[in-house]
Amino acid sequence: KNLKHTKVEMSIEAAVKQQVGESKHGAWTKIVLEGNRLVLKGSGVGVETLRNNLADEECAFALLTLRMELQGIKDQPRHIFIQWKGPDCPGMRKVKSNQAAQEALNLLSPNHGQLEAVGKTEFKEEIIGVKWQPSAGSHVIN
């Protein structure tokens, strides 16, 4: 009997490689800082599922894949790096998260854009699909 490993048992690199390789619309990988280490905390499909996996009292990082039309070409995969700073996350944890952001960015790559998310009101596919773009002005999801 073949045992299939769950994604949580994977390394961050393996989870990202699988996500980018498949480039499934709405796929995501979430990592968090535990002590001084970034660890894989889950993966799934769907912006709403990702939003529901982000606790108000935590800081986390995610790579989200959206397939969209770009310059008239349909179904282009875009991998978007999101730094989550929950509204109830303690200040010191936010500082440590900021210090780990570059390492998280290196792990959750390649990416085509970066966002900071500080709330869940705007954490919707339509808004993320606009705000990741370099021309968007604000890259903050409220």
Side-chain angles (χ1 to χ4, degrees):
K1 190 174 176 180
N2 289 337
L3 293 177
K4 194 173 178 189
H5 290 284
T6 63
K7 291 182 181 174
V8 176
E9 294 169 344
M10 283 183 168
S11 69
I12 294 168
E13 294 83 358
V16 169
K17 186 176 181 186
Q18 181 177 336
Q19 177 181 336
V20 171
E22 293 175 356
S23 287
K24 190 183 297 179
H25 182 77
W28 55 266
T29 301
K30 174 186 164 185
I31 62 176
V32 298
L33 189 62
E34 283 186 358
N36 293 325
R37 286 183 57 232
L38 286 165
V39 296
L40 184 63
K41 271 298 178 190
S43 57
V45 177
V47 173
E48 192 173 317
T49 310
L50 172 57
R51 184 178 65 233
N52 293 340
N53 268 272
L54 298 170
D56 285 351
E57 61 282 345
E58 79 175 343
C59 286
F61 304 95
L63 187 67
L64 172 66
T65 300
L66 295 180
R67 298 187 77 92
M68 55 188 66
E69 184 174 327
L70 296 168
Q71 297 172 334
I73 303 167
K74 293 185 186 303
D75 204 33
Q76 296 296 301
R78 285 299 171 259
H79 309 293
I80 303 160
F81 175 86
I82 300 172
Q83 181 174 6
W84 168 251
K85 295 177 186 173
D88 300 330
C89 185
M92 200 59 215
R93 198 175 302 159
K94 286 182 184 174
V95 169
K96 288 183 177 179
S97 176
N98 284 339
Q99 292 168 344
Q102 186 59 52
E103 184 184 352
L105 193 58
N106 294 344
L107 288 167
L108 297 177
S109 66
N111 71 73
H112 299 98
Q114 300 169 27
L115 292 173
E116 178 182 346
V118 295
K120 294 184 177 178
T121 308
E122 294 181 347
F123 205 102
K124 298 179 172 104
E125 187 175 320
E126 309 76 56
I127 294 172
I128 292 170
V130 170
K131 286 201 171 185
W132 74 271
Q133 298 180 41
S135 60
S138 171
H139 298 286
V140 177
I141 301 290
N142 294 299

